[in-house]
Amino acid sequence: MSDMLLSAEHLTLGYEGKSVIDDISFCVHAGDYLAIVGDNGAGKSTLVKAILGLISPMSGRIEYHGGLRHDEIGYLPQQSSVQKVFPASVDEVVSSGLISTLGHRLFPGAEDRRRVRRNLERFGMYEYRRKSYQELSGGQQQKVLLARAFTAAGRMLLLDEPVSGLDPHSSYELYRTIDSLNLSGCTIIMVTHDIHPALNSASHVLHIGESTFFGTKDEYFHSQEGMNFIKEAGCHV
C-alpha cells in the first residue's frame, strides 16, 4: 500500500549468534498507532534497536517506505537517572531535536526557531522554556523529551515505555498528549508493558514472546495471546 512506512518480514534478531526474537512480521502505515507488548525479556528493546537501525537482523529484513529513513524516526527512550538531571534549559533540550534536520548548517534559522516554539506550545511547555530541565516534574520532563522527539521527526514517533516511573496523573496526561499527536496524523509506535494504551488507543498490536501476534486491536483481544495478556494484567474488555 502506498501509505506504508515500515515493514518487517520474517525478522530474527539477537546477539552473538543467539536469537532473542524469531521470525516476526508486521507493518506500519501512516497514521497507525502500534502498541508493542510482551513479557520482560521478550526482546522489545532489541526490536527498538533494529527499527532505529542500530543493529542488523540475523535474518529477515526491515524496510522503510514512503521516503522514510530510520534516522527520521523521532525516538523517546526510557528515561534514565542521567536524563533527569540533564543540565540544560527546556528550550535547549527541545532545540537539540533540530540537529538531524540542520544538514550542513551550523545554526538553526528563523523557521527552525518557530518550529521549536510551536512544539513547546503544542506540548504545553512554552511557559517553562527558560527553566532548567532538571527542575521539572517527571511528567513535565517526559513532555519535553516528547517535544524534542517530535521536533526531530514529526512523521513517526517510537516511544519506549514513555510513562515508566510516572504517577497515574502524569501518565494519563502523557497518554492524552500522545493520542492527540496520533489524531493529528503522527504515526506512533509504542513499546509498553501497560495494557491501557492497547485497550484505549492503539490501532494495531504486536505481541512478542513465547508466541507472537500482529493484527488490529480487535483481532488481538480475541486472540489467545491477547486474552492471556488481559488476564495477566487483571483487565476486562
Side-chain angles (χ1 to χ4, degrees), residues 27-89:
C27 59
V28 181
H29 291 82
D32 281 356
Y33 188 144
L34 173 65
I36 302 176
V37 301
D39 297 331
N40 290 335
K44 297 190 295 293
S45 295
T46 301
L47 180 56
V48 166
K49 292 177 183 177
I51 291 172
L52 294 173
L54 301 177
I55 62 171
S56 299
M58 296 175 66
S59 63
R61 60 186 180 180
I62 292 180
E63 292 188 344
Y64 308 89
H65 308 271
L68 181 73
R69 303 194 312 265
H70 63 75
D71 58 354
E72 293 178 321
I73 299 173
Y75 176 47
L76 178 63
Q78 293 188 43
Q79 189 165 194
S80 67
S81 58
V82 173
Q83 287 174 312
K84 291 180 180 180
V85 294
F86 196 69
S89 70

Side-chain angles (χ1 to χ4, degrees), residues 16-221:
E16 299 179 350
K18 184 177 181 180
S19 65
V20 177
I21 293 175
D22 290 297
D23 193 24
I24 64 169
S25 298
F26 65 94
C27 59
V28 181
H29 291 82
D32 281 356
Y33 188 144
L34 173 65
I36 302 176
V37 301
D39 297 331
N40 290 335
K44 297 190 295 293
S45 295
T46 301
L47 180 56
V48 166
K49 292 177 183 177
I51 291 172
L52 294 173
L54 301 177
I55 62 171
S56 299
M58 296 175 66
S59 63
R61 60 186 180 180
I62 292 180
E63 292 188 344
Y64 308 89
H65 308 271
L68 181 73
R69 303 194 312 265
H70 63 75
D71 58 354
E72 293 178 321
I73 299 173
Y75 176 47
L76 178 63
Q78 293 188 43
Q79 189 165 194
S80 67
S81 58
V82 173
Q83 287 174 312
K84 291 180 180 180
V85 294
F86 196 69
S89 70
V90 167
D91 185 79
E92 289 170 334
V93 172
V94 176
S95 296
S96 68
L98 292 169
I99 292 173
S100 63
T101 66
L102 290 179
H104 297 296
R105 293 179 294 137
L106 294 178
F107 302 102
E111 179 53 37
D112 296 315
R113 297 303 309 157
R114 285 192 288 270
R115 182 177 173 188
V116 169
R117 174 168 180 156
R118 285 196 301 269
N119 286 336
L120 284 166
E121 292 172 342
R122 175 191 289 266
F123 293 92
M125 298 307 297
Y126 183 73
E127 64 181 291
Y128 302 97
R129 64 192 182 281
R130 294 190 175 89
K131 292 197 67 155
S132 171
Y133 173 81
Q134 60 190 13
E135 295 176 9
L136 303 178
S137 68
Q140 290 172 329
Q141 288 183 341
Q142 284 298 79
K143 282 188 177 182
V144 171
L145 294 180
L146 191 58
R148 179 189 182 279
F150 192 74
T151 299
R155 291 178 70 192
M156 177 184 286
L157 292 179
L158 175 55
L159 315 175
D160 192 355
E161 303 283 8
V163 304
S164 178
L166 299 185
D167 61 73
H169 176 73
S170 296
S171 297
Y172 169 78
E173 287 293 321
L174 195 66
Y175 280 145
R176 192 169 68 168
T177 300
I178 294 166
D179 288 349
S180 176
L181 288 175
N182 181 240
L183 289 172
S184 69
C186 181
T187 304
I188 303 292
I189 302 176
M190 181 190 291
V191 176
T192 181
H193 67 278
D194 186 355
I195 191 66
H196 293 97
L199 277 171
N200 298 327
S201 304
S203 61
H204 295 76
V205 177
L206 173 64
H207 181 113
I208 57 178
E210 290 186 8
S211 60
T212 62
F213 173 92
F214 171 69
T216 67
K217 174 174 62 178
D218 289 342
E219 290 169 343
Y220 177 64
F221 289 124

